Amino acid sequence: MYLEHFNLESDPFRLSPDSKFFYPSLAHSTAKNYMDYVLWSRDSFIVITGEIGTGKTTLIQKMLEEAGSKITVAKIHQTQLNEVEFIQALLDQLGVNPFHTQSKVELLSMLNHFLQRKYEEGETVVVVIDEAQNLDERVLEEIRLMSGFDSNREKLLNIFLVGQPELRRVLARPSMEQLFQRIRLRFHLDGLGFDEVRSYIRFRLATASAAKFTPVSPAAKLLTYQVNEEDIELPNDLFPDELLSTVIEYTGGIPRLINTLCDTALLTAYSRDHDKVTQEDMASAIEDLQWDPYATRSSFRNEAKGDVSGYQLQVFKHGTLLSVEPLNKDRVLIGRSHLCDLKIDQKSVSGKHCQLLKTPEGYLIEDLNSTNGTMVNGEKIESKLLEDGDVIEVGRYALRFEKASKEDQQPGNVTSMAPQQRFFAN
């Protein structure tokens, strides 16, 4: 509707996954490079997680499109299956009729013969399992066993488990230890930061303008553009920079939510005959969508799950107790970024340094590829199921994980971490 008005040739903020609009953020580019390596080295297992709308499907689609012709792909989206149904769904996706038998032995034999034949033909077989957090543990165990198919030299099956953050909690269960050890790479996609939101919006607009440009990704997070025709101006001014803080406040940097908000804002600006989006247009778009700030909506979702953990973090600096933070969210992000629940503004702390995830067994701490690492009880960790009394070291701060007393859990005794962000400076 508004394309001609804004001199665009296609919808810049379409919600359906389209690899043409794949935005190479630092996280997405890193994930894709790792995925390419795992794919062609036949290294079997990779796990990609992220909140709804962070671009997992587009990332997978981009990788597969660039993988070349010597690849066979099976995509499984229905995950409410038992073991036999899952193997049948997999064979059906690979073009093998599996429905004449219910024998798991026969089905696995059919799968193994298919994989051996494809290997001899020089093809790589990839299985992409979406919404993998919903898989039954027995199906996950079957997938682990499938990953053992090999040619005596290389694995025959590349498996991509794609899901929401709950997937990591599932894989962290003690019963999943054998599968966890098979995973070659785990990567989590978060919302974009301030600079990347700005670059993301401009990239989408430039792509939709059909201008001949080349994205140039330097060491910095921002993308710049090399325009191949001097008379082409990219439509970078449709969303002035003063709108970005509002976009982040209401989307959390989640690409799908950015698309929804920006599309609605463009439609509002078009209806008012504006040549770019104004603060008033953005406010009207948010009102039309009936959105609250993202942090508030996220906190509401966590409260709706009935999450009362009974654990807390005591925050110390140089041995002095600064505050007590109750863990009343399924996920607590720690680092320098404004998106973090517990923000520590120190140069030695990464933007998204580490996170705590609630699992059925307790809270799991994960380092998020931080520059200086995350220490628990003096030892550097990648992930660890926390025990009462464990001390997490982040920068100059020590965070003591402990069971809260009944008095501590009474309303008003401590300050909640959600939705209010906690801030600690040098």
Side-chain angles (χ1 to χ4, degrees):
M1 180 180 290
Y2 55 67
L3 298 184
E4 184 176 353
H5 180 79
F6 293 117
N7 196 29
L8 299 170
E9 292 196 1
S10 61
D11 183 356
F13 299 109
R14 65 184 66 189
L15 293 179
S16 57
D18 185 343
S19 61
K20 181 177 72 172
F21 286 90
F22 172 73
Y23 168 68
S25 73
L26 182 61
H28 287 77
S29 296
T30 302
K32 184 178 178 301
N33 289 337
Y34 286 158
M35 289 161 62
D36 289 341
Y37 171 77
V38 171
L39 177 63
W40 293 115
S41 63
R42 295 181 181 268
D43 231 342
S44 187
F45 249 115
I46 185 170
V47 174
I48 302 292
T49 56
E51 295 288 350
I52 298 171
T54 47
K56 302 184 294 295
T57 302
T58 305
L59 176 63
I60 294 288
Q61 187 173 316
K62 182 70 171 177
M63 178 204 68
L64 294 176
E65 286 185 3
E66 295 182 357
S69 59
K70 301 293 285 184
I71 186 169
T72 298
V73 181
K75 297 180 182 178
I76 298 179
H77 302 283
Q78 173 55 262
T79 51
Q80 302 289 350
L81 305 170
N82 61 35
E83 306 101 296
V84 170
E85 291 170 336
F86 178 83
I87 301 170
Q88 287 178 323
L90 174 55
L91 286 167
D92 185 50
Q93 282 286 307
L94 293 171
V96 180
N97 179 15
F99 300 113
H100 62 276
T101 180
Q102 290 288 317
S103 167
K104 190 166 74 172
V105 173
E106 288 186 42
L107 292 170
L108 289 173
S109 177
M110 293 164 59
L111 177 60
N112 189 37
H113 287 152
F114 177 87
L115 296 176
Q116 292 284 355
R117 177 165 58 85
K118 287 296 180 180
Y119 179 79
E120 291 169 3
E121 294 172 355
E123 290 204 22
T124 299
V125 179
V126 179
V127 177
V128 179
I129 306 169
D130 206 359
E131 300 298 336
Q133 75 277 355
N134 297 325
L135 289 170
D136 186 88
E137 281 198 15
R138 290 172 298 179
V139 177
L140 285 169
E141 174 61 12
E142 205 63 55
I143 293 171
R144 180 187 72 83
L145 295 173
M146 288 180 193
S147 70
F149 289 149
D150 60 50
S151 66
N152 296 323
R153 296 193 308 275
E154 295 177 308
K155 298 295 183 183
L156 300 178
L157 191 61
N158 287 273
I159 301 170
F160 289 73
L161 295 181
V162 184
Q164 297 174 34
E166 289 84 351
L167 175 58
R168 290 194 292 181
R169 299 167 204 162
V170 171
L171 298 176
R173 296 171 185 167
S175 58
M176 293 285 99
E177 180 63 25
Q178 286 183 296
L179 175 59
F180 189 85
Q181 292 185 11
R182 288 282 184 98
I183 297 171
R184 177 66 176 84
L185 171 69
R186 294 176 292 274
F187 206 93
H188 184 76
L189 297 175
D190 275 312
L192 305 175
F194 183 92
D195 288 341
E196 289 192 318
V197 168
R198 178 177 184 266
S199 191
Y200 173 84
I201 292 173
R202 292 188 170 192
F203 175 82
R204 303 277 304 201
L205 290 169
T207 303
S209 72
K212 296 180 180 178
F213 71 95
T214 303
V216 180
S217 183
K221 291 183 179 180
L222 278 177
L223 283 179
T224 57
Y225 306 104
Q226 175 180 333
V227 180
N228 301 332
E229 296 183 18
E230 295 182 0
D231 58 341
I232 292 179
E233 293 185 5
L234 300 178
N236 288 341
D237 60 347
L238 292 183
F239 286 86
D241 285 354
E242 56 264 27
L243 300 179
L244 294 182
S245 59
T246 302
V247 172
I248 292 177
E249 179 183 1
Y250 283 87
T251 67
I254 304 297
R256 185 181 299 171
L257 297 180
I258 296 172
N259 291 351
T260 299
L261 180 55
C262 288
D263 179 71
T264 307
L266 280 177
L267 184 59
T268 302
Y270 164 74
S271 67
R272 298 175 177 181
D273 200 30
H274 293 165
D275 58 358
K276 61 183 178 181
V277 178
T278 66
Q279 287 280 12
E280 292 75 19
D281 297 329
M282 184 64 70
S284 294
I286 292 169
E287 184 177 355
D288 290 342
L289 292 168
Q290 299 183 15
W291 280 5
D292 292 322
Y294 180 80
T296 303
R297 304 201 308 274
S298 177
S299 298
F300 177 79
R301 287 195 297 273
N302 286 317
E303 291 170 7
K305 296 177 182 177
D307 180 17
V308 180
S309 66
Y311 280 90
Q312 62 188 19
L313 290 176
Q314 288 188 336
V315 182
F316 293 86
K317 184 179 181 183
H318 302 314
T320 301
L321 179 63
L322 302 181
S323 72
V324 179
E325 305 295 339
L327 297 176
N328 51 9
K329 297 178 65 177
D330 281 354
R331 176 177 182 245
V332 175
L333 188 60
I334 302 171
R336 293 180 66 189
S337 169
H338 65 285
L339 295 174
C340 293
D341 302 289
L342 198 155
K343 181 179 178 182
I344 299 179
D345 191 14
Q346 289 183 359
K347 290 183 178 179
S348 61
V349 177
S350 298
K352 294 172 183 174
H353 195 94
C354 63
Q355 64 182 356
L356 274 62
L357 298 172
K358 188 182 180 186
T359 74
E361 289 73 33
Y363 270 96
L364 180 77
I365 184 170
E366 288 187 340
D367 182 74
L368 297 177
N369 299 315
S370 63
T371 302
N372 295 312
T374 300
M375 308 285 286
V376 177
N377 302 330
E379 295 184 1
K380 186 174 290 189
I381 58 95
E382 291 186 5
S383 65
K384 181 184 186 300
L385 193 64
L386 290 171
E387 299 178 3
D388 191 11
D390 281 347
V391 177
I392 307 162
E393 299 172 41
V394 181
R396 301 188 184 95
Y397 291 84
L399 315 175
R400 179 183 172 85
F401 176 81
E402 63 175 20
K403 187 75 174 177
S405 67
K406 291 183 178 179
E407 292 76 16
D408 288 335
Q409 296 180 54
Q410 295 301 313
N413 285 6
V414 291
T415 302
S416 172
M417 198 179 298
Q420 177 68 43
Q421 180 192 68
R422 304 294 290 155
F423 177 79
F424 298 94
N426 292 322

PDB file of all heavy atoms in Angstrom, residues 180-192:
ATOM      1  N   PHE A 180      23.915 -34.331  25.164  1.00  0.00           N
ATOM      2  CA  PHE A 180      24.599 -33.058  25.369  1.00  0.00           C
ATOM      3  C   PHE A 180      26.055 -33.151  24.926  1.00  0.00           C
ATOM      4  O   PHE A 180      26.592 -32.225  24.306  1.00  0.00           O
ATOM      5  CB  PHE A 180      24.520 -32.668  26.850  1.00  0.00           C
ATOM      6  CG  PHE A 180      25.008 -31.273  27.155  1.00  0.00           C
ATOM      7  CD1 PHE A 180      24.175 -30.184  27.040  1.00  0.00           C
ATOM      8  CD2 PHE A 180      26.325 -31.075  27.557  1.00  0.00           C
ATOM      9  CE1 PHE A 180      24.625 -28.906  27.327  1.00  0.00           C
ATOM     10  CE2 PHE A 180      26.784 -29.796  27.841  1.00  0.00           C
ATOM     11  CZ  PHE A 180      25.926 -28.713  27.726  1.00  0.00           C
ATOM     12  N   GLN A 181      26.700 -34.284  25.201  1.00  0.00           N
ATOM     13  CA  GLN A 181      28.109 -34.444  24.846  1.00  0.00           C
ATOM     14  C   GLN A 181      28.309 -34.621  23.341  1.00  0.00           C
ATOM     15  O   GLN A 181      29.420 -34.419  22.842  1.00  0.00           O
ATOM     16  CB  GLN A 181      28.703 -35.622  25.606  1.00  0.00           C
ATOM     17  CG  GLN A 181      28.821 -35.399  27.099  1.00  0.00           C
ATOM     18  CD  GLN A 181      29.513 -36.542  27.808  1.00  0.00           C
ATOM     19  OE1 GLN A 181      30.094 -37.419  27.176  1.00  0.00           O
ATOM     20  NE2 GLN A 181      29.468 -36.531  29.129  1.00  0.00           N
ATOM     21  N   ARG A 182      27.277 -35.008  22.616  1.00  0.00           N
ATOM     22  CA  ARG A 182      27.378 -35.183  21.165  1.00  0.00           C
ATOM     23  C   ARG A 182      27.306 -33.850  20.419  1.00  0.00           C
ATOM     24  O   ARG A 182      27.652 -33.784  19.239  1.00  0.00           O
ATOM     25  CB  ARG A 182      26.248 -36.085  20.672  1.00  0.00           C
ATOM     26  CG  ARG A 182      26.389 -37.558  21.043  1.00  0.00           C
ATOM     27  CD  ARG A 182      27.382 -38.259  20.142  1.00  0.00           C
ATOM     28  NE  ARG A 182      27.442 -39.698  20.432  1.00  0.00           N
ATOM     29  CZ  ARG A 182      26.792 -40.624  19.757  1.00  0.00           C
ATOM     30  NH1 ARG A 182      26.006 -40.265  18.751  1.00  0.00           N
ATOM     31  NH2 ARG A 182      26.898 -41.889  20.080  1.00  0.00           N
ATOM     32  N   ILE A 183      26.801 -32.813  21.078  1.00  0.00           N
ATOM     33  CA  ILE A 183      26.547 -31.539  20.396  1.00  0.00           C
ATOM     34  C   ILE A 183      27.872 -30.857  20.080  1.00  0.00           C
ATOM     35  O   ILE A 183      28.675 -30.575  20.975  1.00  0.00           O
ATOM     36  CB  ILE A 183      25.651 -30.628  21.258  1.00  0.00           C
ATOM     37  CG1 ILE A 183      24.282 -31.283  21.476  1.00  0.00           C
ATOM     38  CG2 ILE A 183      25.475 -29.263  20.594  1.00  0.00           C
ATOM     39  CD1 ILE A 183      23.416 -30.580  22.484  1.00  0.00           C
ATOM     40  N   ARG A 184      28.084 -30.588  18.791  1.00  0.00           N
ATOM     41  CA  ARG A 184      29.336 -29.960  18.351  1.00  0.00           C
ATOM     42  C   ARG A 184      29.321 -28.468  18.599  1.00  0.00           C
ATOM     43  O   ARG A 184      30.348 -27.864  18.893  1.00  0.00           O
ATOM     44  CB  ARG A 184      29.539 -30.251  16.854  1.00  0.00           C
ATOM     45  CG  ARG A 184      30.766 -29.587  16.251  1.00  0.00           C
ATOM     46  CD  ARG A 184      32.043 -30.162  16.840  1.00  0.00           C
ATOM     47  NE  ARG A 184      33.219 -29.595  16.213  1.00  0.00           N
ATOM     48  CZ  ARG A 184      33.769 -28.435  16.566  1.00  0.00           C
ATOM     49  NH1 ARG A 184      33.246 -27.713  17.534  1.00  0.00           N
ATOM     50  NH2 ARG A 184      34.866 -28.003  15.961  1.00  0.00           N
ATOM     51  N   LEU A 185      28.160 -27.842  18.445  1.00  0.00           N
ATOM     52  CA  LEU A 185      28.079 -26.390  18.579  1.00  0.00           C
ATOM     53  C   LEU A 185      26.718 -26.002  19.129  1.00  0.00           C
ATOM     54  O   LEU A 185      25.686 -26.535  18.716  1.00  0.00           O
ATOM     55  CB  LEU A 185      28.285 -25.712  17.219  1.00  0.00           C
ATOM     56  CG  LEU A 185      28.023 -24.203  17.161  1.00  0.00           C
ATOM     57  CD1 LEU A 185      29.101 -23.464  17.949  1.00  0.00           C
ATOM     58  CD2 LEU A 185      27.989 -23.707  15.728  1.00  0.00           C
ATOM     59  N   ARG A 186      26.728 -25.084  20.070  1.00  0.00           N
ATOM     60  CA  ARG A 186      25.496 -24.491  20.595  1.00  0.00           C
ATOM     61  C   ARG A 186      25.588 -22.985  20.406  1.00  0.00           C
ATOM     62  O   ARG A 186      26.588 -22.372  20.764  1.00  0.00           O
ATOM     63  CB  ARG A 186      25.324 -24.828  22.081  1.00  0.00           C
ATOM     64  CG  ARG A 186      25.097 -26.287  22.362  1.00  0.00           C
ATOM     65  CD  ARG A 186      25.030 -26.578  23.864  1.00  0.00           C
ATOM     66  NE  ARG A 186      26.320 -26.372  24.504  1.00  0.00           N
ATOM     67  CZ  ARG A 186      27.249 -27.307  24.564  1.00  0.00           C
ATOM     68  NH1 ARG A 186      27.051 -28.482  24.016  1.00  0.00           N
ATOM     69  NH2 ARG A 186      28.398 -27.061  25.163  1.00  0.00           N
ATOM     70  N   PHE A 187      24.527 -22.404  19.863  1.00  0.00           N
ATOM     71  CA  PHE A 187      24.550 -20.958  19.639  1.00  0.00           C
ATOM     72  C   PHE A 187      23.172 -20.385  19.976  1.00  0.00           C
ATOM     73  O   PHE A 187      22.151 -20.952  19.597  1.00  0.00           O
ATOM     74  CB  PHE A 187      24.900 -20.626  18.187  1.00  0.00           C
ATOM     75  CG  PHE A 187      25.524 -19.280  18.021  1.00  0.00           C
ATOM     76  CD1 PHE A 187      26.896 -19.128  18.026  1.00  0.00           C
ATOM     77  CD2 PHE A 187      24.739 -18.142  17.878  1.00  0.00           C
ATOM     78  CE1 PHE A 187      27.482 -17.875  17.897  1.00  0.00           C
ATOM     79  CE2 PHE A 187      25.305 -16.894  17.748  1.00  0.00           C
ATOM     80  CZ  PHE A 187      26.690 -16.754  17.754  1.00  0.00           C
ATOM     81  N   HIS A 188      23.173 -19.265  20.699  1.00  0.00           N
ATOM     82  CA  HIS A 188      21.920 -18.630  21.111  1.00  0.00           C
ATOM     83  C   HIS A 188      21.807 -17.249  20.478  1.00  0.00           C
ATOM     84  O   HIS A 188      22.761 -16.464  20.490  1.00  0.00           O
ATOM     85  CB  HIS A 188      21.861 -18.493  22.629  1.00  0.00           C
ATOM     86  CG  HIS A 188      20.568 -17.933  23.133  1.00  0.00           C
ATOM     87  ND1 HIS A 188      19.407 -18.676  23.196  1.00  0.00           N
ATOM     88  CD2 HIS A 188      20.245 -16.693  23.579  1.00  0.00           C
ATOM     89  CE1 HIS A 188      18.427 -17.923  23.664  1.00  0.00           C
ATOM     90  NE2 HIS A 188      18.913 -16.721  23.902  1.00  0.00           N
ATOM     91  N   LEU A 189      20.657 -16.953  19.898  1.00  0.00           N
ATOM     92  CA  LEU A 189      20.396 -15.659  19.273  1.00  0.00           C
ATOM     93  C   LEU A 189      19.558 -14.803  20.209  1.00  0.00           C
ATOM     94  O   LEU A 189      18.468 -15.197  20.618  1.00  0.00           O
ATOM     95  CB  LEU A 189      19.660 -15.843  17.938  1.00  0.00           C
ATOM     96  CG  LEU A 189      20.423 -16.606  16.845  1.00  0.00           C
ATOM     97  CD1 LEU A 189      19.521 -16.813  15.637  1.00  0.00           C
ATOM     98  CD2 LEU A 189      21.683 -15.856  16.438  1.00  0.00           C
ATOM     99  N   ASP A 190      20.076 -13.624  20.539  1.00  0.00           N
ATOM    100  CA  ASP A 190      19.359 -12.662  21.378  1.00  0.00           C
ATOM    101  C   ASP A 190      18.807 -11.541  20.517  1.00  0.00           C
ATOM    102  O   ASP A 190      19.022 -11.485  19.307  1.00  0.00           O
ATOM    103  CB  ASP A 190      20.298 -12.077  22.435  1.00  0.00           C
ATOM    104  CG  ASP A 190      20.385 -12.968  23.666  1.00  0.00           C
ATOM    105  OD1 ASP A 190      19.320 -13.378  24.163  1.00  0.00           O
ATOM    106  OD2 ASP A 190      21.507 -13.243  24.120  1.00  0.00           O
ATOM    107  N   GLY A 191      18.109 -10.612  21.170  1.00  0.00           N
ATOM    108  CA  GLY A 191      17.673  -9.407  20.480  1.00  0.00           C
ATOM    109  C   GLY A 191      18.864  -8.546  20.093  1.00  0.00           C
ATOM    110  O   GLY A 191      19.956  -8.660  20.670  1.00  0.00           O
ATOM    111  N   LEU A 192      18.661  -7.676  19.103  1.00  0.00           N
ATOM    112  CA  LEU A 192      19.731  -6.795  18.627  1.00  0.00           C
ATOM    113  C   LEU A 192      19.920  -5.620  19.581  1.00  0.00           C
ATOM    114  O   LEU A 192      18.977  -5.171  20.234  1.00  0.00           O
ATOM    115  CB  LEU A 192      19.379  -6.267  17.229  1.00  0.00           C
ATOM    116  CG  LEU A 192      19.072  -7.320  16.160  1.00  0.00           C
ATOM    117  CD1 LEU A 192      18.635  -6.638  14.866  1.00  0.00           C
ATOM    118  CD2 LEU A 192      20.278  -8.209  15.913  1.00  0.00           C
TER     119      LEU A 192
END
